[in-house]
PDB file of all heavy atoms in Angstrom:
ATOM      1  N   VAL A 392       7.601  14.815   0.379  1.00 94.00           N
ATOM      2  CA  VAL A 392       6.886  15.618   1.373  1.00 94.00           C
ATOM      3  C   VAL A 392       7.178  17.100   1.185  1.00 94.00           C
ATOM      4  O   VAL A 392       6.276  17.936   1.266  1.00 94.00           O
ATOM      5  CB  VAL A 392       7.250  15.149   2.799  1.00 94.00           C
ATOM      6  CG1 VAL A 392       6.641  16.071   3.828  1.00 94.00           C
ATOM      7  CG2 VAL A 392       6.755  13.738   3.030  1.00 94.00           C
ATOM      8  N   SER A 393       8.426  17.440   0.876  1.00 93.00           N
ATOM      9  CA  SER A 393       8.727  18.872   0.732  1.00 93.00           C
ATOM     10  C   SER A 393       7.970  19.441  -0.459  1.00 93.00           C
ATOM     11  O   SER A 393       7.444  20.557  -0.391  1.00 93.00           O
ATOM     12  CB  SER A 393      10.229  19.097   0.609  1.00 93.00           C
ATOM     13  OG  SER A 393      10.710  18.462  -0.538  1.00 93.00           O
ATOM     14  N   CYS A 394       7.877  18.671  -1.546  1.00 92.00           N
ATOM     15  CA  CYS A 394       7.131  19.142  -2.713  1.00 92.00           C
ATOM     16  C   CYS A 394       5.635  19.226  -2.395  1.00 92.00           C
ATOM     17  O   CYS A 394       4.963  20.177  -2.802  1.00 92.00           O
ATOM     18  CB  CYS A 394       7.381  18.227  -3.900  1.00 92.00           C
ATOM     19  SG  CYS A 394       6.749  18.853  -5.455  1.00 92.00           S
ATOM     20  N   HIS A 395       5.136  18.238  -1.653  1.00 94.00           N
ATOM     21  CA  HIS A 395       3.720  18.265  -1.276  1.00 94.00           C
ATOM     22  C   HIS A 395       3.415  19.489  -0.418  1.00 94.00           C
ATOM     23  O   HIS A 395       2.369  20.103  -0.550  1.00 94.00           O
ATOM     24  CB  HIS A 395       3.341  16.983  -0.523  1.00 94.00           C
ATOM     25  CG  HIS A 395       2.829  15.895  -1.425  1.00 94.00           C
ATOM     26  ND1 HIS A 395       1.657  15.235  -1.201  1.00 94.00           N
ATOM     27  CD2 HIS A 395       3.325  15.385  -2.573  1.00 94.00           C
ATOM     28  CE1 HIS A 395       1.458  14.339  -2.159  1.00 94.00           C
ATOM     29  NE2 HIS A 395       2.462  14.412  -3.000  1.00 94.00           N
ATOM     30  N   LYS A 396       4.357  19.840   0.463  1.00 94.00           N
ATOM     31  CA  LYS A 396       4.122  20.998   1.322  1.00 94.00           C
ATOM     32  C   LYS A 396       4.149  22.283   0.517  1.00 94.00           C
ATOM     33  O   LYS A 396       3.325  23.167   0.714  1.00 94.00           O
ATOM     34  CB  LYS A 396       5.173  21.038   2.436  1.00 94.00           C
ATOM     35  CG  LYS A 396       4.836  20.107   3.574  1.00 94.00           C
ATOM     36  CD  LYS A 396       5.847  20.210   4.695  1.00 94.00           C
ATOM     37  CE  LYS A 396       5.472  19.284   5.831  1.00 94.00           C
ATOM     38  NZ  LYS A 396       6.620  18.991   6.697  1.00 94.00           N
ATOM     39  N   GLU A 397       5.119  22.374  -0.414  1.00 93.00           N
ATOM     40  CA  GLU A 397       5.208  23.569  -1.257  1.00 93.00           C
ATOM     41  C   GLU A 397       3.914  23.810  -2.020  1.00 93.00           C
ATOM     42  O   GLU A 397       3.496  24.936  -2.227  1.00 93.00           O
ATOM     43  CB  GLU A 397       6.354  23.429  -2.261  1.00 93.00           C
ATOM     44  CG  GLU A 397       7.706  23.820  -1.724  1.00 93.00           C
ATOM     45  CD  GLU A 397       8.800  23.389  -2.677  1.00 93.00           C
ATOM     46  OE1 GLU A 397       8.565  23.422  -3.906  1.00 93.00           O
ATOM     47  OE2 GLU A 397       9.882  23.005  -2.189  1.00 93.00           O
ATOM     48  N   ASN A 398       3.311  22.715  -2.493  1.00 91.00           N
ATOM     49  CA  ASN A 398       2.126  22.851  -3.328  1.00 91.00           C
ATOM     50  C   ASN A 398       0.828  22.625  -2.553  1.00 91.00           C
ATOM     51  O   ASN A 398      -0.220  22.408  -3.142  1.00 91.00           O
ATOM     52  CB  ASN A 398       2.205  21.861  -4.492  1.00 91.00           C
ATOM     53  CG  ASN A 398       3.320  22.229  -5.440  1.00 91.00           C
ATOM     54  OD1 ASN A 398       3.264  23.244  -6.105  1.00 91.00           O
ATOM     55  ND2 ASN A 398       4.374  21.417  -5.468  1.00 91.00           N
ATOM     56  N   SER A 399       0.939  22.688  -1.228  1.00 89.00           N
ATOM     57  CA  SER A 399      -0.185  22.429  -0.314  1.00 89.00           C
ATOM     58  C   SER A 399      -1.005  21.218  -0.737  1.00 89.00           C
ATOM     59  O   SER A 399      -2.236  21.238  -0.737  1.00 89.00           O
ATOM     60  CB  SER A 399      -1.067  23.663  -0.117  1.00 89.00           C
ATOM     61  OG  SER A 399      -1.532  24.150  -1.339  1.00 89.00           O
ATOM     62  N   ALA A 400      -0.300  20.157  -1.096  1.00 90.00           N
ATOM     63  CA  ALA A 400      -0.939  18.865  -1.369  1.00 90.00           C
ATOM     64  C   ALA A 400      -1.060  18.128  -0.044  1.00 90.00           C
ATOM     65  O   ALA A 400      -0.366  18.474   0.913  1.00 90.00           O
ATOM     66  CB  ALA A 400      -0.090  18.070  -2.345  1.00 90.00           C
ATOM     67  N   PRO A 401      -1.963  17.149   0.049  1.00 90.00           N
ATOM     68  CA  PRO A 401      -2.126  16.458   1.335  1.00 90.00           C
ATOM     69  C   PRO A 401      -0.850  15.750   1.774  1.00 90.00           C
ATOM     70  O   PRO A 401      -0.139  15.176   0.954  1.00 90.00           O
ATOM     71  CB  PRO A 401      -3.243  15.449   1.056  1.00 90.00           C
ATOM     72  CG  PRO A 401      -3.340  15.354  -0.415  1.00 90.00           C
ATOM     73  CD  PRO A 401      -2.903  16.658  -0.959  1.00 90.00           C
ATOM     74  N   THR A 402      -0.564  15.818   3.078  1.00 91.00           N
ATOM     75  CA  THR A 402       0.593  15.097   3.613  1.00 91.00           C
ATOM     76  C   THR A 402       0.152  14.021   4.594  1.00 91.00           C
ATOM     77  O   THR A 402       0.929  13.566   5.420  1.00 91.00           O
ATOM     78  CB  THR A 402       1.565  16.059   4.311  1.00 91.00           C
ATOM     79  OG1 THR A 402       0.804  16.914   5.153  1.00 91.00           O
ATOM     80  CG2 THR A 402       2.338  16.868   3.317  1.00 91.00           C
ATOM     81  N   ASP A 403      -1.117  13.647   4.504  1.00 90.00           N
ATOM     82  CA  ASP A 403      -1.634  12.533   5.276  1.00 90.00           C
ATOM     83  C   ASP A 403      -0.883  11.262   4.848  1.00 90.00           C
ATOM     84  O   ASP A 403      -0.584  11.103   3.664  1.00 90.00           O
ATOM     85  CB  ASP A 403      -3.127  12.415   4.944  1.00 90.00           C
ATOM     86  CG  ASP A 403      -3.829  11.404   5.793  1.00 90.00           C
ATOM     87  OD1 ASP A 403      -3.255  10.997   6.802  1.00 90.00           O
ATOM     88  OD2 ASP A 403      -4.958  11.040   5.426  1.00 90.00           O
ATOM     89  N   CYS A 404      -0.561  10.382   5.792  1.00 91.00           N
ATOM     90  CA  CYS A 404       0.209   9.177   5.427  1.00 91.00           C
ATOM     91  C   CYS A 404      -0.495   8.344   4.359  1.00 91.00           C
ATOM     92  O   CYS A 404       0.136   7.836   3.434  1.00 91.00           O
ATOM     93  CB  CYS A 404       0.458   8.307   6.643  1.00 91.00           C
ATOM     94  SG  CYS A 404       1.368   9.114   7.945  1.00 91.00           S
ATOM     95  N   VAL A 405      -1.845   8.201   4.501  1.00 92.00           N
ATOM     96  CA  VAL A 405      -2.551   7.342   3.550  1.00 92.00           C
ATOM     97  C   VAL A 405      -2.724   7.988   2.181  1.00 92.00           C
ATOM     98  O   VAL A 405      -3.380   7.416   1.331  1.00 92.00           O
ATOM     99  CB  VAL A 405      -3.944   6.898   4.034  1.00 92.00           C
ATOM    100  CG1 VAL A 405      -3.877   5.555   4.670  1.00 92.00           C
ATOM    101  CG2 VAL A 405      -4.604   7.917   4.870  1.00 92.00           C
TER     102      VAL A 405
END
Side-chain angles (χ1 to χ4, degrees):
Chain A
V392 174
S393 62
C394 190
H395 268 231
K396 279 183 179 160
E397 276 169 35
N398 293 293
S399 56
T402 46
D403 187 15
C404 300
V405 264

